[in-house]
Amino acid sequence: MRRFILLIVFFIVAVSSTAAAGTAEDSRKVLILGFDGMDPVLLEKYMEKGLMPNFKRLADEGDFKPLTTSMPPQSPVAWSNLITGMNPGGHGIFDFIARDPKNYLPYLSTSKTIGGKSSLKLGDWIIPFSKAETLLLRKGKAFWEILDDNGIPATVVKIPANFPPNKTGAKTLSGMGTPDILGTYGTFTFYTTRKIDNTEVTSGKAVNVQFSNYSVKTKLTGPPNPFRADKAETSLELKITVDPENPVALIQVDDNEILLKEGEWSDWAKVEFKFAPLQSLTGICRFYLMKARPDFELYVSPINIDPFNPSAVISTPDDYSAQMADKVGYFYTQGMPEDTKALDQDFLHNDDFLELSEFIKDERIRMLDIEMKQFDSGLLFVYFPTTDPVQHMFWRNIDKKHPAYNPKEAEEYSDTIRNTYIAMDAILENAVKKIDDNTTLIVLSDHGFGSFRRYFHLNTWLKENGYINFADKNLKSSGAFFENVDFRQTRAYALGFNGIYINLRGREGIGVVPDGSEKEKLLDELVKKLEAVIDPATGDRVINKVYKRRELYTGKYVEDAPDLLIGYNRGYRASWETALGKVPEGLFGDNMKKWSGTHLWDYRLVPGVILANRKIKSEHPALYDIAPTILKEFGIKKDKDMVGEPVFRKER
């Protein structure tokens, strides 16, 4: 499920109208800046305070409206709406997590590994072997594929839900969903003289080291070796030497010698993992020396795919990642580079994380600047992630009602989110300076944001209300992936952040609920009961609305959706345990994590934003309107499967 190397992709041939469309509209330009998670309430507040003059000018001279997000308002779902012009029933992405109904096991929703014969690209070598391949699971044509079919040049930098990228003539760099070289969403390593229980570390690994004469040798772990039958992990020797007097450490790994002061990040280091004679795989990583003494602490980033020599397809054309790296240097190829898990577990501190976020933002600015210099026609889309992880991790500092609110910390970090928005205003200012009157400018976000104060164990509620039953009734809980759930006596279960599935006979592996009237009666019962759930600690309703899938979705893949979609109220969210199919004790808890902001509510409560240098005719523009809008700008009719409509009032 978590391994990858190469990908199978679709190839779309050009339609017969290519030449005509390309010549008729090739002077038009569309620039789109995507700011993940930018919230309309905060944006309006900061604009009115004069903190974001460029956003305010664009809103006044053009237009500004809330942008209806997806249900659920999760990034892979929302961006897939935008990419395809369809709702989830059309593109088939319903959550971060999907499940195989036959065995109830989860997999990542946007891509999936399958077995098969293929080959591994290692430099100039193409080596055949039996391995897993990765498929993009998002259905439907992306707007840039349709532009390419019609001879319109398009460049799409880091848009989420596009790994592996479909084969196209457009230039694309994959974004959220792109793994590290281990095949994970991001696995950091933390070397320390402190003893840490690795069973309690998520999305990373702690390595205990003991120095002798100020030096220690340990290992940097790499990917499994595909040439070995046991697929044993590869590794490199990592030597660390600490200065006996000064807070400085020398890091030696592969051909790199990196001298770091305490509190300093390294540049990118290229590392090469040997598989067999003449066969290896390269990756890139960064080092951060948190502390030299008395306890030694060294953070190593997830090992990213090398953009100069990618082990998986991360761009179209294949060499676009190398072209970009030639101009900006090594860059984060990992889809979610801001290491929120390391911050949540104190393997990075607040300032360390913000410095990392600043580095990623500046990296993306350089990519935008490079593409703007050659933006003569067609479409340019550049995605900026920073607003999303910063709000996730620092919302507690602007919400005095949050259980993790700390007045002393808030005094230092209450302006962090505001300052991040101000930084986005500077990005917009620079972009506006470089466009001409023939350019349609669209600025948007996929959803808004708010406080995550309390969590709700949805599977526990199902257990307490008789919809889930345990195999071992002496146990009071069940671990991940329903390990103690008896599906022979279970009628409904939750997996992912917003979905409930009926244990349907003929669909689920051990389904017990007949399709038809009995299923519909059960759905009605669940909707009524869930919408009435009250948190006894606050007296608040936990769930704003529960939707049946056909209330929301149309398209070929509606039947793959969860049977019910849970629209949580402000302040609440499904627990992490719910997402992984756990059934813990208790229904509610205070969210004491640094991950304190959320957008996983009822979609009507958390819209994104859209601003443009054109007037918007729609009173309630939605994410799935963006693809038809882009096509209309180039005189192209929307695809027949698109449910969205162009949003602008008239032709330019």
Side-chain angles (χ1 to χ4, degrees), residues 31 92 179-180 218 250 328 397 443 463 539 589 609 637:
L31 172 63
D180 59 19
T218 182
L250 176 66
V328 304
N397 294 308
V443 177
K463 169 71 169 60
V609 302
K637 291 182 179 180

Side-chain angles (χ1 to χ4, degrees), residues 377-449:
S377 63
L379 174 131
L380 173 59
F381 176 104
V382 180
Y383 166 81
F384 289 87
T386 312
T387 36
D388 183 88
V390 167
Q391 288 178 108
H392 273 305
M393 306 311 292
F394 289 87
W395 200 277
R396 67 194 189 281
N397 294 308
I398 63 171
D399 178 13
K400 293 182 179 180
K401 294 182 179 180
H402 196 282
Y405 178 81
N406 180 306
K408 185 176 180 181
E409 185 177 55
E411 186 176 351
E412 185 173 359
Y413 294 102
S414 60
D415 290 339
T416 299
I417 292 174
R418 183 200 70 175
N419 292 341
T420 301
Y421 275 63
I422 292 171
M424 301 305 108
D425 191 71
I427 292 171
L428 176 61
E429 178 182 24
N430 288 332
V432 169
K433 289 177 180 177
K434 298 172 183 176
I435 63 174
D436 56 30
D437 293 339
N438 201 38
T439 304
T440 297
L441 172 63
I442 302 172
V443 177
L444 53 81
S445 68
D446 53 333
H447 52 69
F449 247 93

Side-chain angles (χ1 to χ4, degrees), residues 494-536:
L495 189 69
F497 290 101
N498 291 86
I500 287 180
Y501 298 91
I502 301 302
N503 192 24
L504 193 65
R505 186 182 300 165
R507 183 183 70 181
E508 265 70 11
I510 315 174
V512 297
V513 178
D515 204 356
S517 61
E518 187 169 335
K519 173 193 170 186
E520 293 304 316
K521 181 180 178 182
L522 177 56
L523 289 173
D524 290 339
E525 181 181 305
L526 285 166
V527 169
K528 183 177 180 181
K529 287 184 177 181
L530 282 166
E531 288 184 350
V533 172
I534 301 294
D535 181 354

Side-chain angles (χ1 to χ4, degrees), residues 87-124:
N87 63 51
H91 57 65
I93 306 299
F94 304 102
D95 198 290
F96 276 100
I97 296 172
R99 63 75 171 98
D100 183 339
K102 295 303 180 185
N103 57 23
Y104 306 94
L105 292 178
Y107 56 88
L108 299 176
S109 65
T110 55
S111 61
K112 188 176 183 179
T113 56
I114 60 171
K117 294 276 186 181
S118 192
S119 58
L120 176 65
K121 180 178 181 292
L122 301 169
D124 295 329

Side-chain angles (χ1 to χ4, degrees), residues 4-233:
F4 79 102
I5 298 180
L6 278 181
L7 321 159
I8 294 178
V9 293
F10 298 103
F11 179 75
I12 309 300
V13 296
V15 297
S16 58
S17 60
T18 295
T23 55
E25 311 294 353
D26 60 7
S27 64
R28 293 191 174 188
K29 292 187 284 185
V30 175
L31 172 63
I32 303 179
L33 303 179
F35 297 106
D36 202 304
M38 184 170 279
D39 181 72
V41 176
L42 287 185
L43 177 58
E44 194 156 21
K45 172 184 172 182
Y46 297 147
M47 287 195 300
E48 291 306 316
K49 286 187 174 183
L51 299 172
M52 302 185 71
N54 298 288
F55 272 82
K56 184 69 164 60
R57 187 176 303 111
L58 181 59
D60 290 345
E61 297 176 0
D63 217 336
F64 164 43
K65 289 186 178 181
L67 184 63
T68 301
T69 186
S70 59
M71 182 63 203
Q74 300 180 24
S75 292
V77 187
W79 288 106
S80 293
N81 276 22
L82 182 149
I83 288 168
T84 64
M86 297 188 285
N87 63 51
H91 57 65
I93 306 299
F94 304 102
D95 198 290
F96 276 100
I97 296 172
R99 63 75 171 98
D100 183 339
K102 295 303 180 185
N103 57 23
Y104 306 94
L105 292 178
Y107 56 88
L108 299 176
S109 65
T110 55
S111 61
K112 188 176 183 179
T113 56
I114 60 171
K117 294 276 186 181
S118 192
S119 58
L120 176 65
K121 180 178 181 292
L122 301 169
D124 295 329
W125 294 79
I126 304 295
I127 302 141
F129 69 103
S130 181
K131 68 168 190 64
E133 296 176 286
T134 306
L135 299 177
L136 176 66
L137 298 182
R138 191 197 71 238
K139 311 298 193 301
K141 269 192 173 183
F143 63 79
W144 59 86
E145 293 180 85
I146 299 173
L147 292 177
D148 181 49
D149 287 348
N150 286 271
I152 306 297
T155 300
V156 179
V157 178
K158 289 287 189 174
I159 199 166
N162 191 44
F163 174 83
N166 280 340
K167 185 65 72 175
T168 172
K171 293 195 300 183
T172 70
L173 274 179
S174 63
M176 183 186 298
T178 306
D180 59 19
I181 70 167
L182 302 182
T184 76
Y185 264 1
T187 299
F188 65 86
T189 313
F190 190 76
Y191 299 89
T192 181
T193 51
R194 295 189 289 115
K195 289 192 180 298
I196 296 176
D197 184 358
N198 253 313
T199 61
E200 298 178 1
V201 179
T202 59
S203 300
K205 179 175 68 172
V207 178
N208 180 253
V209 293
Q210 297 297 327
F211 286 84
S212 175
N213 294 324
Y214 307 105
S215 184
V216 65
K217 289 183 179 179
T218 182
K219 292 181 178 180
L220 178 66
T221 302
N225 188 335
F227 297 97
R228 288 185 51 153
D230 60 359
K231 301 296 188 290
E233 291 178 331

Side-chain angles (χ1 to χ4, degrees), residues 317-338:
D318 290 346
D319 64 350
Y320 179 46
S321 63
Q323 293 175 27
M324 182 64 77
D326 269 332
K327 297 169 183 174
V328 304
Y330 284 124
F331 59 86
Y332 277 98
T333 54
Q334 178 196 338
M336 300 173 69
E338 290 91 347

